[in-house]
Amino acid sequence: MKKNIPLILVVSLLCGLLYWALTAQQYTVSKGKLIDLLEQGETVIDLTKVTNFEWTQVDAFGPYTTTEMMEEALGISIGFGGGEVLESNFKIVFANDEKKLSSITLSREYGDYSVKDN
């Protein structure tokens, strides 16, 4: 029986990962499409065109922004994957009223970013 314990643990782990992969919703932002638009000289971009999910709030965070500062601005807990924004980057965070759904880090190569309400 002791010889079967590692096998049982591995099978359990694989089943758990498979369940997570099949049930987890993938919230993705098309960084390639966004960068293409920036390279074409676009200065105002409709962010609903580069996401595959619905979000209720979005904000752009400049260099040296901490996770705590992002959470305070959005009024939510970002949790895992927040991270500080480096000097050469901007981070755009998409969220609903309860949690962070996705984020994208962009280089300041194309300029600085801000979010404009419609």
Side-chain angles (χ1 to χ4, degrees):
M1 181 67 181
K2 284 186 177 183
K3 292 180 181 180
N4 291 335
I5 290 177
L7 179 61
I8 292 169
L9 290 174
V10 168
V11 169
S12 297
L13 178 63
L14 289 175
C15 288
L17 287 173
L18 180 60
Y19 174 78
W20 175 81
L22 293 174
T23 59
Q25 182 155 0
Q26 300 299 315
Y27 300 110
T28 59
V29 181
S30 177
K31 187 173 183 176
K33 189 184 288 187
L34 190 54
I35 289 176
D36 286 345
L37 291 168
L38 291 169
E39 287 178 345
Q40 292 170 17
E42 293 290 332
T43 57
V44 177
I45 298 170
D46 181 353
L47 295 175
T48 62
K49 306 266 193 245
V50 297
T51 57
N52 72 344
F53 57 93
E54 292 188 29
W55 39 269
T56 58
Q57 55 185 344
V58 61
D59 210 339
F61 298 99
Y64 310 111
T65 304
T66 64
T67 300
E68 291 79 19
M69 294 164 77
M70 288 183 245
E71 289 177 335
E72 184 175 326
L74 293 167
I76 60 170
S77 175
I78 289 180
F80 179 75
E84 294 187 14
V85 183
L86 301 177
E87 179 179 1
S88 60
N89 294 329
F90 258 76
K91 183 175 277 205
I92 299 176
V93 179
F94 298 85
N96 62 21
D97 296 328
E98 301 163 0
K99 65 179 180 175
K100 172 186 143 193
L101 300 173
S102 189
S103 65
I104 185 171
T105 301
L106 296 169
S107 169
R108 292 178 67 197
E109 167 185 355
Y110 303 104
D112 290 340
Y113 307 93
S114 64
V115 174
K116 176 184 166 187
D117 290 331
N118 284 339

